[in-house]
Amino acid sequence: MRAVAIVLVVASHADDLLVPFWTADTGVADLDGVDLFFVLSGFLIGGILLRTLEATEIPWQKRLLDFWQRRWLRTLPNYFLFLAINIVLVHEGWMPGLLNVNALAYFVFLQNFIIPLELFYWESWSLAVEEWFYLLFPLAVFLFIGALRRHVKGVFLWVTLIMIAIPTLLRFPAMDAVATPAQLDLLVRKIVVLRLDTIGFGVLAAWAFHYFPAIWRSRRAELLLIGLFGYTTATLLRGPDSLMYMGTWYFTFSAISMALWLPALASWERVGRWGAPIAFISRISYALYLVHLPVRYLLDWFVVRTSKEAAMLQYVAYWAICIVLAMGVYLLFERRFMGMRKGLSRRILAT
């Protein structure tokens, strides 16, 4: 699922490399790779958090701090590395963008919390959505459990439903300012407080898997078919005259449908000879997500598409450079920080 998501994202930002010599529009409605990331992240993080919550022999403050340090060592080093890279590229004029005092918002993930800045570092909008979810959701769960003194199962479910309901309801008044698909993308799709629900549906799937594993496993084929039908239907309902639907219920229906794929995908342990390439792409997916746009813009400086062959050469070079650089970032930078997590966990959780 992660490998498919990153391939969709990287491919979607390079369609125009093949124009005008090759047809970029296949006529098939796009599967949103970022939303796939959101649902999958929610599922994985939800499972980790449920196991963390049930380790009641450890003080809740230590468990929460350990959860955060593991998430932040996974995500923040790469984020700030590429924030610096993007600043340099924009400052030197090698990438489009604008640098001013508002760029400070990128350092605290406020670039699209309620107002879209869109100065540069375009792909960071989705990382802001995830980071705010990682911060707010576990904090709310721990605090509600402590205040209400209820069992994890019920509190976790109610907090998840609240995190789903609030963005869903807020999208309706937000659509009053939307008149075009471009405005929908900027003012709704990429706003943190309006998109937390997509991750929430992944968390809801983790809750179902944790507490009802028998149903999860026995009904995975039926749930997959329902999810595929649901996503196809939700996508076919989109159109130039359905902006309100596209900015409101579409996000809900598509996220539910993707979450229904998880029982089947979570049980898919062996994929034959394709296992190694899929695992490799999945492993470098975060670095690849951050690498691909700088590479995409820099290529325009050096290659001119004068023929069909030149366009294809640039497209192949785009993929090859992105993968090689992402592998380098993963091996030389990202993995080093991830390796620190176990040691920090031992220190934090020690009594």
Side-chain angles (χ1 to χ4, degrees):
M1 195 170 184
R2 185 185 288 116
V4 169
I6 190 59
V7 168
L8 288 170
V9 171
V10 176
S12 70
H13 292 149
D15 283 346
D16 61 309
L17 291 176
L18 300 177
V19 177
F21 306 105
W22 302 80
T23 301
D25 186 4
T26 62
V28 179
D30 293 334
L31 175 62
D32 194 325
V34 173
D35 281 10
L36 269 178
F37 271 123
F38 284 164
V39 173
L40 179 59
S41 293
F43 177 65
L44 298 175
I45 295 306
I48 293 170
L49 187 57
L50 280 167
R51 294 190 292 273
T52 301
L53 287 163
E54 292 182 347
T56 53
E57 70 279 4
I58 303 170
W60 72 268
Q61 298 92 334
K62 291 189 175 186
R63 284 179 282 152
L64 180 58
L65 183 59
D66 183 56
F67 174 85
W68 278 337
Q69 71 88 7
R70 295 185 72 86
R71 287 300 89 214
W72 289 336
L73 280 175
R74 172 72 175 88
T75 58
L76 296 190
N78 273 15
Y79 175 86
F80 286 112
L81 171 65
F82 278 89
L83 174 58
I85 290 172
N86 274 264
I87 289 173
V88 171
L89 292 177
V90 173
H91 182 268
E92 297 299 322
W94 296 335
M95 236 176 101
L98 177 65
L99 294 177
N100 57 37
V101 68
N102 294 316
L104 294 173
Y106 285 81
F107 288 87
V108 288
F109 295 96
L110 288 175
Q111 63 267 41
N112 60 311
F113 189 74
I114 56 175
I115 299 173
L117 288 180
E118 286 286 286
L119 300 177
F120 65 107
Y121 203 8
W122 320 110
E123 64 276 28
S124 69
W125 74 268
S126 63
L127 305 179
V129 175
E130 292 200 349
E131 291 302 326
W132 279 104
F133 193 94
Y134 298 159
L135 178 68
L136 297 176
F137 181 76
L139 182 61
V141 172
F142 273 105
L143 291 178
F144 274 105
I145 288 175
L148 301 177
R149 300 192 180 279
R150 299 290 181 87
H151 192 270
V152 170
K153 181 180 178 181
V155 174
F156 192 94
L157 175 61
W158 278 109
V159 174
T160 302
L161 294 176
I162 290 169
M163 292 291 284
I164 289 173
I166 291 175
T168 302
L169 295 174
L170 288 177
R171 282 200 294 269
F172 286 91
M175 285 299 295
D176 291 341
V178 172
T180 66
Q183 289 178 338
L184 188 153
D185 186 68
L186 185 63
L187 301 176
V188 176
R189 178 175 175 262
K190 294 181 177 180
I191 298 300
V192 169
V193 296
L194 303 180
R195 296 307 315 279
L196 296 172
D197 60 312
T198 305
I199 304 177
F201 282 111
V203 174
L204 189 61
W207 180 88
F209 174 60
H210 190 81
Y211 290 109
F212 304 98
I215 297 175
W216 176 277
R217 294 189 179 95
S218 63
R219 299 298 180 187
R220 58 180 181 267
E222 295 94 324
L223 293 173
L224 176 64
L225 291 175
I226 294 171
L228 291 172
F229 176 79
Y231 187 83
T232 302
T233 303
T235 303
L236 290 176
L237 291 174
R238 297 190 307 179
D241 299 322
S242 58
L243 272 181
M244 177 59 75
Y245 164 75
M246 291 167 63
T248 54
W249 291 118
Y250 170 73
F251 294 118
T252 303
F253 296 151
S254 63
I256 293 173
S257 300
M258 291 176 186
L260 292 176
W261 305 345
L262 286 166
L265 293 174
S267 64
W268 190 14
E269 297 176 358
R270 298 180 183 274
V271 286
R273 62 183 179 180
W274 295 106
I278 289 173
F280 169 73
I281 293 297
S282 174
R283 194 169 294 117
I284 66 168
S285 60
Y286 183 35
L288 188 54
Y289 183 70
L290 295 172
V291 158
H292 80 281
L293 278 184
V295 171
R296 172 67 187 83
Y297 285 115
L298 288 172
L299 273 178
D300 285 337
W301 282 83
F302 302 107
V303 181
V304 179
R305 298 183 296 277
T306 56
S307 66
K308 183 181 292 188
E309 291 74 18
M312 181 56 70
L313 178 63
Q314 186 177 14
Y315 190 76
V316 172
Y318 164 75
W319 275 98
I321 294 170
C322 285
I323 290 173
V324 169
L325 289 178
M327 182 172 60
V329 170
Y330 172 76
L331 293 174
L332 301 176
F333 189 79
E334 179 181 338
R335 196 167 63 170
R336 293 178 181 270
F337 288 94
M338 290 173 62
M340 299 176 184
R341 297 185 297 178
K342 287 186 178 180
L344 275 175
S345 287
R346 284 194 293 268
R347 294 181 185 181
I348 292 170
L349 300 179
T351 58

